[in-house]
Amino acid sequence: MKYDHLLENKKRIHFIGIGGSGMCPLAEILMSEGFEISGSDMNEGETLDKIKGYGIPVYMGHKAENVKDAEVIVYSAAIKEDNPERAYAVEHNIPCIERSVMLGIVTRRYNRSIAVSGTHGKTSTTGMLTQILIGSGFDPSAIIGGKLPYIGGNSYVGQSDIIVCEACEYVDSFLQLTPYISIILNVDADHLDYFGTLENIKKSFNKFGKQTTNLLVLNGDDKNTMDSIADVDIQKITYGFNSTNDYYAENISADKGVHETFDLMHKGEKLCTIKLIVPGKHNIFNALAAAATAHYLGATPKEIAENLGKFGGVHRRFEILGKPCDITVADDFAHHPTELTATLKAAMNMGFKKVWAVFQPHTFSRTAMLLDDFAEALKIPDVAIISEILPVRETNTYGIYNTDLGAKVPNSKCIDTFEDITKYVCDNAQAGDLILTMGGGNVYMCANMILKELQSREQK
């Protein structure tokens, strides 16, 4: 790729927005390779504390003088062109690249890069695969989109030639990668503000498949995935529930929907029995993808079963925050109808008296384009609370509001603010219920508010 020689004869790299979940791991890996790293950010936080703990200088706020000594600048997608540090870099001819470009450069420094792609499940699957490989002694490096408790963060610097990373399709970011192995979990209609149609998304995954150098690991049960890579001439492994796949799940059972147990099969032969502690059929698919890849790399069935059995999830993926007043409070990143459906079906099978879904719609475009699908998903829980729509990068040119969604969901209530939502659910939830906040934005703050309020009531 054209930027691969960028780091030659360079020593000092500056990250604008270094506290971002995708930026911190890159800084960590490059520092381990001997580069001098600095960074800037607008907000304090856990990730920034970790970065500072390595002795990396971090400037609070963005100012031109922060980058005067830098030889390469990396900026996150959220950093605009008029950012003073980016503007200074351009003015003074300091090479300035977006995070996904640096991810491509870094991963190509490893002989065996594994990219986990797909519309849903990337973070969980990357976490599962990382945990199997570390637990099996492969010592990979890893870049994960969420915090994995097993490694105490979202990055790991190993000493082998393997790196595992997430590959996001939004704005074709993953086309900066040329992986040794690519996992495609599923292909679904999302990010339509950029892609426009499902057909364009499939074309993007097709290009991604063609940039893979050695192996594709594919969800053989997902028609969109198989259509996307039909003409890609490369070694392929399939997984799924159907026995026509190379790897498949048999004898699936669940204990109150919490422990998904299944036999991992490979071409008619039973490899092992896997007992997951993360709920939902979608996590069996994620586990199959991770297991197939790890087995290909040489992990034994025993190692795969043991390490998947210890996988407790990643941050914001059905993350149980506490159980004050015997009410379970959990938070989940689901922000697409397919994800909501999978998570809510799992929740409804877990034996709670009542499931309260607190949903924060994420972007006007996604809410407008997938309105009916969101409505169907939100009919699943006993009660759906819908907050106001989080704009993210958009203005409301669609004329869409949370009440438009609420009108299609009989069991719903539209409550705009986190404060009002907290009061309503805490006043009405009972012992034995689950309150599950859901969304790709800052709805986790609402989960924390609910938790705190219930803890306060419990103490009284």
Side-chain angles (χ1 to χ4, degrees):
M1 301 288 263
K2 73 173 185 176
Y3 290 103
D4 280 7
H5 299 292
L6 186 66
L7 299 183
E8 286 176 11
N9 306 314
K10 302 285 197 309
K11 196 75 180 161
R12 296 186 297 277
I13 305 172
H14 180 84
F15 285 77
I16 312 174
I18 197 167
S21 62
M23 297 283 271
C24 163
L26 289 172
E28 200 177 333
I29 288 169
L30 288 165
M31 189 188 78
S32 76
E33 291 187 17
F35 289 94
E36 291 173 16
I37 307 297
S38 65
S40 60
D41 213 300
M42 297 299 288
N43 305 300
E44 295 282 0
E46 206 178 309
T47 314
L48 230 50
D49 291 342
K50 185 182 177 186
I51 285 285
K52 289 174 185 173
Y54 294 131
I56 293 173
V58 177
Y59 307 102
M60 295 315 297
H62 300 306
K63 297 184 283 292
E65 58 257 36
N66 296 345
V67 298
K68 281 181 179 168
D69 296 328
E71 293 173 297
V72 176
I73 308 277
V74 185
Y75 59 91
S76 70
I79 302 297
K80 304 284 184 271
E81 280 183 43
D82 61 358
N83 175 280
E85 296 180 15
R86 262 189 83 178
Y88 180 90
V90 171
E91 202 180 315
H92 292 81
N93 296 316
I94 303 170
C96 200
I97 57 170
E98 199 266 325
R99 174 207 166 264
S100 63
V101 179
M102 182 57 89
L103 179 64
I105 294 169
V106 167
T107 53
R108 277 187 289 279
R109 293 163 82 87
Y110 292 77
N111 289 331
R112 292 183 288 175
S113 62
I114 304 164
V116 182
S117 75
T119 320
H120 322 293
K122 291 184 287 292
T123 300
S124 293
T125 307
T126 307
M128 286 177 175
L129 181 56
T130 298
Q131 193 152 330
I132 296 169
L133 293 179
I134 293 173
S136 306
F138 284 83
D139 199 26
S141 294
I143 296 174
I144 308 171
K147 186 178 176 184
L148 176 65
Y150 182 72
I151 57 174
N154 68 331
S155 55
Y156 186 83
V157 180
Q159 299 305 310
S160 74
D161 69 341
I162 298 174
I163 187 167
V164 184
C165 72
E166 280 184 45
C168 181
E169 74 279 8
Y170 183 58
V171 299
D172 286 323
S173 293
F174 64 177
L175 298 185
Q176 299 292 343
L177 306 175
T178 49
Y180 175 76
I181 298 172
S182 292
I183 299 171
I184 303 180
L185 300 167
N186 39 60
V187 177
D188 203 350
D190 195 15
H191 302 304
L192 295 173
D193 56 320
Y194 174 74
F195 288 110
T197 65
L198 176 59
E199 220 39 56
N200 287 337
I201 297 170
K202 287 182 178 179
K203 284 177 188 168
S204 191
F205 275 93
N206 178 270
K207 284 182 196 165
F208 178 65
K210 286 175 176 170
Q211 289 181 195
T212 305
T213 62
N214 180 64
L215 172 73
L216 287 174
V217 179
L218 306 162
N219 181 344
D221 291 359
D222 184 57
K223 187 177 182 304
N224 289 339
T225 295
M226 299 311 286
D227 287 350
S228 297
I229 53 79
D231 68 338
V232 180
D233 185 19
I234 191 175
Q235 184 184 1
K236 294 167 187 168
I237 286 174
T238 58
Y239 67 87
F241 286 6
N242 196 311
S243 61
T244 54
N245 291 299
D246 298 310
Y247 292 83
Y248 53 97
E250 249 185 21
N251 302 320
I252 299 166
S253 62
D255 170 20
K256 275 194 176 176
V258 181
H259 299 288
E260 303 283 358
T261 303
F262 64 95
D263 291 336
L264 175 62
M265 307 294 292
H266 179 228
K267 297 185 174 174
E269 179 197 349
K270 178 182 168 182
L271 296 182
C272 56
T273 298
I274 291 171
K275 186 170 185 176
L276 297 175
I277 53 175
V278 285
K281 292 282 189 287
H282 58 295
N283 274 315
I284 299 180
F285 273 106
N286 296 340
L288 285 168
T293 308
H295 193 240
Y296 173 82
L297 290 169
T300 66
K302 184 172 181 282
E303 288 168 338
I304 291 166
E306 276 181 7
N307 288 291
L308 277 175
K310 292 175 196 164
F311 177 78
V314 287
H315 177 53
R316 296 217 64 216
R317 273 64 178 183
F318 214 112
E319 184 179 12
I320 293 173
L321 305 177
K323 300 180 182 181
C325 306
D326 196 27
I327 297 169
T328 302
V329 181
D331 177 52
D332 195 275
F333 188 69
H335 55 282
H336 182 281
T338 305
E339 296 161 355
L340 287 175
T341 301
T343 303
L344 289 169
K345 279 185 176 174
M348 293 298 283
N349 285 324
M350 289 170 72
F352 293 103
K353 281 186 182 171
K354 191 183 271 193
V355 173
W356 297 71
V358 176
F359 176 57
Q360 179 190 45
H362 191 256
T363 74
F364 299 117
S365 58
R366 186 185 280 121
T367 308
M369 291 173 178
L370 303 174
L371 190 67
D372 289 341
D373 296 332
F374 276 120
E376 286 308 306
L378 290 171
K379 288 173 187 174
I380 296 169
D382 298 293
V383 188
I385 308 292
I386 306 167
S387 79
E388 62 186 351
I389 300 169
L390 189 73
V392 193
R393 52 191 170 261
E394 299 177 340
T395 51
N396 193 4
T397 53
Y398 297 86
I400 186 89
Y401 299 92
N402 60 346
T403 48
D404 296 312
L405 179 54
K408 292 174 176 280
V409 185
N411 54 327
S412 74
K413 194 170 178 67
C414 292
I415 306 175
D416 287 349
T417 69
F418 292 165
E419 288 78 12
D420 290 341
I421 290 170
T422 298
K423 183 174 184 336
Y424 182 80
V425 295
C426 291
D427 285 349
N428 291 283
Q430 303 287 320
D433 288 358
L434 166 71
I435 300 169
L436 176 62
T437 57
M438 310 179 83
N442 60 351
V443 72
Y444 61 88
M445 293 167 68
C446 188
N448 292 331
M449 289 163 68
I450 291 166
L451 183 71
K452 197 174 171 185
E453 176 60 24
L454 289 174
Q455 285 169 338
S456 159
R457 294 185 184 196
E458 188 175 52
Q459 284 164 7
K460 287 174 186 170

